[in-house]
Amino acid sequence: MIKDTALIFEGGGMRASYTAGVVVTLLEEGIEFADVYGISAGSSHTVNYLSKDIERSRLSFVEFMATPGACGWGQLLRGKGYFSAEYIYEIASRPGAELPYDFDAFLNNPGRPHVEAYEYETGQTVSWSKEDMPTLLDLARRVRASSTMPFFMPPVRINGHTYFDGGIGDSWGISLAQAKKDGYKKFFIVRTQMKSYRKSPDKNPLLTKMLMSKYKGIAKRTQERYIYYNAILDEIDELAEKGEAYVFCPKAMTIKNTTIDQKLLKESYRKGYEHAREELPRWRDFL
């Protein structure tokens, strides 16, 4: 088990169909990290990786999106979210359901998950560990909370608190700060955007405020995110130049975080998997 390097999965909605190929490759090759960090879609990668379920790691971001009731504008209009969060995370993961999760395998894996979300009432970022996930439902609700994109999904209530996507928390989508806080100085970072990508300012700030008007402050954090997110990307580039980080970036990103078209998702996964296999020798050299 790799104990000197933190594995970090960036969020990015359905762009994670590309990086699901990284999860599958790590599992196929038996590459195990002691600490795994994930936010939003990266939190799904985190728990799938720690359950060592190769098939689920792929299905979660490809074929499962074709399941009736899983996603779409109809689900959003019914108040369930563009991605029907309760169904995706809490119902479909149950034993015998459409996308069952091997919770026993997760518990038996000595690897430690770190899942982040934004707590609305306090404005604080929370990081949940395995101790916060004693049951499958506890795990599912925390991964759901970390993945709750404002407007596109209804917020999650856990122990009397309201949670939103970890991407608007203090790590801004990539848990580098938390991994550093935990003492890591070497990082294997899996991004869902090309190396050259930098986020632009919100082009429709008034629309953002209107769509998120129910929750004060969420629109502001969403609109400010590009500043902090881009700063983290600059830091990651510096770490890579110094040999302290290996950064996997898609060669091209042709889908959006809300893409649900099966043809596009399957092609995204295929390209990501082939890219991961291509880079595998360099992963081994770094690790």
Side-chain angles (χ1 to χ4, degrees):
M1 180 166 282
I2 299 165
K3 297 182 178 180
D4 68 339
T5 305
L7 173 59
I8 301 174
F9 289 112
E10 180 180 11
M14 299 314 298
R15 289 194 297 270
S17 56
Y18 192 103
T19 51
V22 174
V23 181
V24 169
T25 299
L26 290 171
L27 292 174
E28 287 178 339
E29 297 300 317
I31 301 174
E32 298 186 50
F33 290 81
D35 285 283
V36 189
Y37 299 78
I39 291 176
S40 197
S43 67
S44 289
H45 278 344
T46 294
V47 298
N48 284 337
Y49 169 79
L50 289 173
S51 75
K52 300 184 180 182
D53 191 330
I54 291 174
E55 186 68 358
R56 192 181 200 277
S57 297
R58 179 181 64 82
L59 289 172
S60 295
F61 290 97
V62 187
E63 287 90 344
F64 181 65
M65 287 299 107
T67 304
C71 55
W73 293 111
Q75 296 301 310
L76 179 66
L77 292 174
R78 294 185 188 96
K80 297 182 179 181
Y82 181 82
F83 295 103
S84 187
E86 182 180 10
Y87 170 71
I88 291 172
Y89 298 100
E90 299 179 30
I91 297 174
S93 62
R94 297 171 183 171
E98 291 82 357
L99 194 66
Y101 183 77
D102 192 339
F103 188 63
D104 288 338
F106 168 79
L107 289 179
N108 292 328
N109 189 333
R112 296 178 291 268
H114 304 265
V115 173
E116 292 188 38
Y118 177 75
E119 187 177 298
Y120 176 69
E121 287 83 2
T122 64
Q124 301 295 312
T125 299
V126 298
S127 180
W128 289 306
S129 64
K130 189 174 285 186
E131 288 70 27
D132 300 302
M133 308 172 187
T135 70
L136 175 58
L137 181 59
D138 290 319
L139 177 148
R141 288 186 68 79
R142 282 158 178 78
V143 173
R144 174 185 170 186
S146 179
S147 308
T148 299
M149 293 188 289
F151 174 70
F152 286 100
M153 299 158 79
V156 184
R157 295 280 292 176
I158 300 176
N159 298 329
H161 293 275
T162 307
Y163 292 95
F164 283 93
D165 196 297
I168 60 171
D170 293 340
S171 290
W172 304 102
I174 305 176
S175 298
L176 179 62
Q178 183 62 48
K180 291 171 66 177
K181 182 179 178 182
D182 291 339
Y184 279 100
K185 297 181 179 180
K186 189 177 177 184
F187 314 91
F188 189 98
I189 302 171
V190 182
R191 292 196 51 212
T192 54
Q193 293 282 14
M194 297 170 62
K195 185 179 186 298
S196 60
Y197 174 82
R198 291 297 185 273
K199 186 174 286 294
S200 301
D202 188 354
K203 296 179 180 179
N204 298 291
L206 292 179
L207 178 61
T208 299
K209 288 182 179 179
M210 182 184 73
L211 294 176
M212 302 178 189
S213 60
K214 184 178 179 180
Y215 295 96
K216 185 178 180 181
I218 296 298
K220 184 175 185 292
R221 290 192 71 87
T222 301
Q223 291 168 339
E224 291 178 346
R225 183 175 178 239
Y226 80 98
I227 301 170
Y228 304 101
Y229 175 77
N230 291 345
I232 291 172
L233 298 187
D234 291 341
E235 181 181 0
I236 287 173
D237 285 348
E238 292 176 5
L239 290 170
E241 289 176 6
K242 293 189 291 185
E244 297 172 9
Y246 186 101
V247 187
F248 177 92
C249 293
K251 293 181 179 180
M253 182 47 62
T254 57
I255 65 172
K256 300 178 180 179
N257 60 348
T258 55
T259 297
I260 56 176
D261 181 277
Q262 279 291 291
K263 182 178 179 181
L264 296 177
L265 293 177
K266 289 178 180 178
E267 181 66 7
S268 176
Y269 172 78
R270 182 189 66 79
K271 290 179 178 179
Y273 179 74
E274 291 177 353
H275 183 188
R277 300 301 306 187
E278 177 187 317
E279 286 199 12
L280 180 61
R282 296 197 288 277
W283 297 0
R284 294 192 182 281
D285 288 343
F286 176 77
L287 296 171

